[in-house]
Amino acid sequence: MDDFGVYVVLGVNDAPLNANGSAQFSVAVPPSSQQVVMFSRGRWGDRICVNAELNDADRVPITIGKLTPYNRYERFPGPGHVQENTSSRNAKGDMMDPDLTLSMKEYTPESTMAPSPVREGKRKRGQTGEEDEEENRGKENTCPNEVASFSENSTPLRKVRGQTRGGQTRLFLQGEGQGGTALTPQNTPPQRGKGRQAKTPTTQTAPLVNPSGRWGQSLCPIDPQTAILIGGQGSRMQFCKDPMWKLCTEDMSWVPAETLAEGPTPEARIGHTATYDPDSKRIFVFGGSKNKKWFNDVHILDTQSWKWSTVEAQGKVPPLAYHSCSMFRGELFVLGGVFPRPHPEPDGCSDSLYIFDPHLSIWYQPIVTGDRPAPRSGHSACVIQGKIYVFGGWDTPLCFNDMYMLDLGLMEFSSVQTNGSPPSPRSWHGCVLLSDSTFVVHGGYNGNQALNDTFTFNTDTNTWTELVHPQLSVPRAGHSIITMALANQNLSFKDDGNERNSDRTPKTLLVFGGGDNEGNFYSDLTTLTVAELLDQN
């Protein structure tokens, strides 16, 4: 390890600082520093990682990044971006520069155990947890697809100040007076056939090392090492007070991320979409709802500069939640979803298509022909070979399992006549592309219960195939499902010096969160290789 070194750059004109192979290295960071760059040089050991921690105002270390053999470069905002969290004073009241501490630790790349506890970042919007709870008390996040009400029994993740047993929450709600079963947040789903998971007591001071249980969130991959979790709602209808996390896939650990980015973060919400554009390296967050408030705003997170911005868009798009959003040739295609109507009319579902052009910051509605799908929400949409495949969804009291295809060249809808046994009608299922001709549908809600079945659809043959996998046996709905080519796998091959993805690239399926309609919100992360699913076709 003599030739191994970790370096830190605190400013544009500063020379790199060398940790000199120390097990722990600390340096004072000037408050004016806008960005910190950390990188390594030399030969890595097989079981080493380097954690970067920045002290907050209480001199409590907050983990803000890490280096591993698979992620040897990291950059993150300096105190100039998060000074309210990192500046502190000495005994005389003088301002002190925050300390950046680098510590080398052993880790196993295959391990999925949580890292050491980290302190949850402070809220940026100036609103306390008590204010959030007061705002939510007595309100409902209603939409026409919601079916059953739930009550909280316990909170094994953490206890929120002011939270009591027996408070009401609604995961899926159709109307007043609906009965339901108990719903409590859990880190890990109970094993089927083994009864409920034992509840372990927690203390109020225990910090979160992974996201709280939730549904209705978005999980957006941005590179082989990173996915970003945004939003969601947990027990007692409380919107998550830990709304943004960064998933580091080299060791499957979570880092609180709300305070890592500069600019106004999106207001707490569920039923929104977060779509990543690999060309501009930006995440587009659109729509969603919070209690009786609906959104049609567009927020952009630049993953290079880690800055949030709000779009002042031209054109009109209604407030929508539980819609689908697909990226094609740099534009966002928003289809369906729930929109609010004035009381006493029930909220309605849309069959409209809206397109957002980020280059012009404008919304427009294209001329679409063909057999348009019925209005719906909670459906899924996958882009395959210049076509958007739309499956399932709900428009009270109907639940769908039909398939439609939008040809993006002709802008023409058509109904897809499928082969094989299709999934039963459902909404709020997970859907993601597995290959150039196959996508997977997992779980969902049929109006009565959460589902645990899994199907693949082949667009070359228009054939459904049911799969059975032990890691996909827990019923859940409102969860997130993505695929990633992880950094510790063979990600790509070189062709004339240009790196490009290959069908031979090994990918991993990740399933996060959701609820089961039987008393649980989840914050577990399930992983399995895409090859395992494709081999069953």
Side-chain angles (χ1 to χ4, degrees), residues 16 119 196 213 216 336 403:
R119 190 171 186 266
R196 296 207 176 219
M403 176 87 72

Side-chain angles (χ1 to χ4, degrees), residues 219 324-326 378-384 388-392 403 423 426-434 438-444 453-457 464 478-483 509-511:
L219 183 62
S324 64
C325 184
S326 306
H379 55 285
S380 61
C382 268
V383 179
I384 300 181
I388 298 179
Y389 285 82
V390 180
F391 169 75
M403 176 87 72
R426 67 193 63 205
S427 63
W428 294 321
H429 48 277
C431 179
V432 70
L433 197 64
L434 298 182
T438 306
F439 62 83
V440 64
V441 168
H442 170 62
D453 48 5
T454 305
F455 296 80
T456 60
F457 185 77
W464 285 107
H479 51 291
S480 299
I481 181 168
I482 61 174
T483 58
L509 183 79
L510 296 90
V511 181

Side-chain angles (χ1 to χ4, degrees), residues 41-273:
R41 183 179 180 183
R43 189 176 59 214
W44 277 79
D46 293 334
R47 299 172 57 87
I48 295 294
C49 90
V50 179
N51 276 2
E53 298 174 341
L54 196 65
N55 290 342
D56 71 353
D58 300 320
R59 313 303 290 172
V60 176
I62 302 175
T63 299
I64 57 176
K66 65 174 66 180
L67 298 183
T68 73
Y70 310 108
N71 182 34
R72 306 185 182 193
Y73 167 86
E74 182 78 86
R75 66 178 181 178
F76 34 82
H81 282 178
V82 290
Q83 190 166 4
E84 71 276 12
N85 291 338
T86 55
S87 58
S88 58
R89 297 179 182 272
N90 59 19
K92 298 181 180 180
D94 299 327
M95 293 298 297
M96 298 172 58
D97 293 347
D99 293 331
L100 175 69
T101 301
L102 307 180
S103 56
M104 294 189 183
K105 301 179 180 180
E106 286 194 357
Y107 99 110
T108 304
E110 293 80 8
S111 172
T112 58
M113 297 183 62
S116 300
V118 296
R119 190 171 186 266
E120 187 177 358
K122 297 184 178 180
R123 299 185 63 81
K124 297 182 65 176
R125 292 183 287 275
Q127 190 175 38
T128 65
E130 291 84 354
E131 291 171 335
D132 278 344
E133 198 158 333
E134 182 65 29
E135 177 185 358
N136 291 336
R137 191 173 294 130
K139 294 186 177 181
E140 297 173 359
N141 187 54
T142 60
C143 80
N145 296 348
E146 297 171 329
V147 175
S149 60
F150 301 87
S151 62
E152 180 196 18
N153 286 335
S154 65
T155 309
L157 288 180
R158 64 171 177 171
K159 185 174 179 61
V160 179
R161 196 181 329 180
Q163 183 171 301
T164 59
R165 292 177 179 265
Q168 292 295 313
T169 184
R170 297 175 185 267
L171 177 59
F172 310 112
L173 174 81
Q174 183 172 353
E176 293 299 328
Q178 297 281 345
T181 56
L183 181 64
T184 58
Q186 296 283 349
N187 270 328
T188 306
Q191 296 297 314
R192 292 184 59 77
K194 297 183 179 180
R196 296 207 176 219
Q197 185 180 11
K199 298 177 176 63
T200 56
T202 60
T203 63
Q204 288 183 325
T205 57
L208 289 177
V209 296
N210 61 334
S212 58
R214 67 191 67 197
W215 81 290
Q217 72 285 336
S218 62
L219 183 62
C220 185
I222 61 174
D223 59 46
Q225 297 87 21
T226 312
I228 303 298
L229 174 67
I230 300 174
Q233 185 185 54
S235 65
R236 298 179 65 240
M237 289 170 43
Q238 298 299 303
F239 285 82
C240 299
K241 296 179 174 62
D242 54 328
M244 186 173 174
W245 290 77
K246 181 171 77 168
L247 173 65
C248 303
T249 59
E250 68 271 11
D251 61 351
M252 294 301 171
S253 64
W254 293 94
V255 176
E258 188 181 12
T259 58
L260 295 186
E262 183 186 14
T265 59
E267 187 174 347
R269 62 191 67 195
I270 60 174
H272 56 286
T273 51

